[in-house]
Amino acid sequence: MPAKIVVGNWKMHGLQENMSELQAISISAAKSSCDIVICPPATLIQLATKLSRSFSIGGQDCHQEEFGAYTGDISAQMLADAGADYVILGHSERRENHLENSAIVKEKAIAAIEANLTPIICVGETLQQRESGQAVIKVNAQLQSSLPQNSNVVIAYEPIWAIGTGLIPTLSEISEIHDSIRGLLNKEFGPLGSKISILYGGSVKPDNARKIFGGANVNGALVGGASLKSNDFIPIIEALSDG
Ligand code: 13P
């Protein structure tokens, strides 16, 4: 069985004064049967690891090279050195704003695994692709070219049009994509493919989490806005634990 995982992606939010949210999350994570991962901005990773007895820490991106003249970038090894165990890769905000294609995402995933980080590889379709019936094909193609040849990964399906909008696909639309991702992983990795966690992301909130977690092959969530406040994030952890 894949691990059940809830990941909080803080994106470009969070100052030292917000660290108190992690104390409440830590108490809830200690009681939960799920794996909990918080991905704060890089500036807070070291501080967050000090509070992270019952949850893991992740970065939000890494460079594909180990070191070098890449001003502003952070390597996978640096994230691991700071105490991270995971790294989000290929988030649509990186693909769009930083022109990262799947080939680069794959290189980053290889670098992450070499640094002993688990990459959380994000894929998802645009609204136009969804409306033209292309969602399954586009997501599978994106995943196929982003995947390293190593099954030590987590996959996050995030429809771009559902991120930060309050819109979510229907449960059958989510299940259709998660089923097809599972099929691809089984084809790619054999029996190991069935152990990879597939998360849903995009407007996951306390009031819709339970329903989403009922979908086929939904093993958890990648949560943006609702991960910033423990009062929103904890009910999502509880919904997955109960499911
Ligand atoms: P929201 O939960 O704010 O829609 O963000 C989803 C996301 O992009 C997580 O990576």
Side-chain angles (χ1 to χ4, degrees), residues 7-11 88 91-93 122 156 158 162-167 201-205 222-227:
V7 182
N9 176 9
W10 281 17
K11 307 192 180 184
I88 298 171
H91 192 284
S92 59
E93 287 151 16
C122 302
E158 297 205 310
I163 296 175
T165 58
L167 303 170
S203 297
V204 177
K205 306 286 175 205
L222 176 54
V223 185
S227 69

Side-chain angles (χ1 to χ4, degrees), residues 41 67 102 139 154 156-157:
F67 53 84
S102 294
V139 168
V154 171
Y157 165 54

Side-chain angles (χ1 to χ4, degrees), residues 137-151:
I137 286 178
K138 292 289 175 189
V139 168
N140 275 12
Q142 207 179 31
L143 182 58
Q144 184 89 56
S145 41
S146 304
L147 262 187
Q149 285 174 317
N150 187 314
S151 66

Side-chain angles (χ1 to χ4, degrees), residues 78-127:
M78 289 168 184
L79 290 175
D81 187 48
D85 290 311
Y86 291 81
V87 59
I88 298 171
L89 294 176
H91 192 284
S92 59
E93 287 151 16
R94 300 286 318 173
R95 290 179 188 263
E96 273 174 35
N97 302 338
H98 299 267
L99 307 179
E100 290 182 8
N101 60 28
S102 294
I104 293 174
V105 174
K106 179 175 175 174
E107 283 183 42
K108 290 182 178 207
I110 293 167
I113 291 167
E114 273 173 18
N116 285 323
L117 298 178
T118 302
I120 301 166
I121 299 174
C122 302
V123 290
E125 82 283 1
T126 62
L127 186 57

